[in-house]
Amino acid sequence: VSKVSISEEIRSEYEKSVTQLESQSDDISKLVWEYTTLDLHITPVTIKSAKLGAVDRLQFESKLPEHLRNPQNATNTATVDPCLVIPIVIPNPDAAATPVIVGLKLVSVNNPSQRWNYPKEGPTGWVGWNSVLPKSRSVVLTTSEENALIVSQSTGQPCLALPEPGDILPVHLLPSLERFEKVILW
């Protein structure tokens, strides 16, 4: 499991981002909180259970080693880019254990169509696996992270977002769906 988990640099920044959003301690976290609660209508309970975070993407990236940075950001002239931080996880081989975080997806609050994965290349996983309980027998699949959060919040059903753009389900994630009696495509 440790071979696919995220680097300590990314993990440390992620943990800070979760605390930052929960406390709304600065302007970035307040902007992300407003986007998440007012624009997406995601409740504070869902924010906490999904372990969402808030960062200024430019500051976040400046703290990472060069090999973990996203090269498409080199020409960005913005001075601040508040982003919602969403963990990307895979199930732990021990079904009762906490899922393993393999990456982060950052969604720009100013332009939600702009998204970045960290690390930029690496294993893919699920957004929303933390909504899956060991006793869950069905799961809903959606095409976006926001839809997964909203559907899970609205229905109480565990809900996962397809991890790849273009509605692609990577073959290596199929075994994680075998435990479910029903998979609902949203």
Side-chain angles (χ1 to χ4, degrees):
V1 170
S2 63
K3 291 180 183 175
V4 295
S5 63
I6 59 175
S7 70
E8 283 307 310
E9 296 93 347
I10 293 176
R11 179 178 304 286
S12 173
E13 292 304 313
Y14 166 64
E15 289 170 358
K16 290 178 198 172
S17 79
V18 171
T19 302
Q20 191 173 348
L21 184 58
E22 286 178 359
S23 66
Q24 299 175 54
S25 58
D26 62 10
D27 291 342
I28 296 294
S29 59
K30 289 176 185 171
L31 286 169
V32 173
W33 184 267
E34 287 174 9
Y35 166 73
T36 308
T37 59
L38 299 179
D39 294 353
L40 298 179
H41 305 286
I42 296 174
T43 66
V45 169
T46 300
I47 291 170
K48 187 171 180 115
S49 68
K51 297 183 169 94
L52 303 179
V55 295
D56 172 0
R57 182 185 53 80
L58 303 175
Q59 193 174 61
F60 166 81
E61 194 163 276
S62 72
K63 296 176 184 176
L64 299 178
E66 189 69 35
H67 71 281
L68 293 176
R69 295 183 187 174
N70 219 312
Q72 73 190 52
N73 300 332
T75 59
N76 191 330
T77 58
T79 55
V80 175
D81 192 3
C83 288
L84 174 64
V85 180
I86 305 171
I88 301 170
V89 301
I90 58 172
N92 195 310
D94 174 3
T98 304
V100 178
I101 299 174
V102 295
L104 301 176
K105 181 164 299 249
L106 273 58
V107 178
S108 175
V109 168
N110 296 329
N111 183 356
S113 66
Q114 289 191 315
R115 294 156 188 266
W116 299 270
N117 286 340
Y118 293 91
K120 60 185 178 278
E121 296 172 9
T124 56
W126 296 107
V127 167
W129 192 269
N130 49 348
S131 71
V132 176
L133 301 173
K135 64 180 180 175
S136 298
R137 292 289 150 244
S138 66
V139 67
V140 178
L141 296 183
T142 70
T143 57
S144 78
E145 297 81 8
E146 294 90 344
N147 284 346
L149 292 164
I150 293 166
V151 170
S152 181
Q153 173 180 283
S154 300
T155 66
Q157 288 286 321
C159 192
L160 307 173
L162 292 175
E164 301 289 331
D167 306 337
I168 297 169
L169 176 57
V171 174
H172 73 276
L173 292 178
L174 284 173
S176 63
L177 297 175
E178 290 175 355
R179 63 174 273 202
F180 301 106
E181 295 169 6
K182 185 184 338 181
V183 177
I184 302 163
L185 303 178
W186 193 271

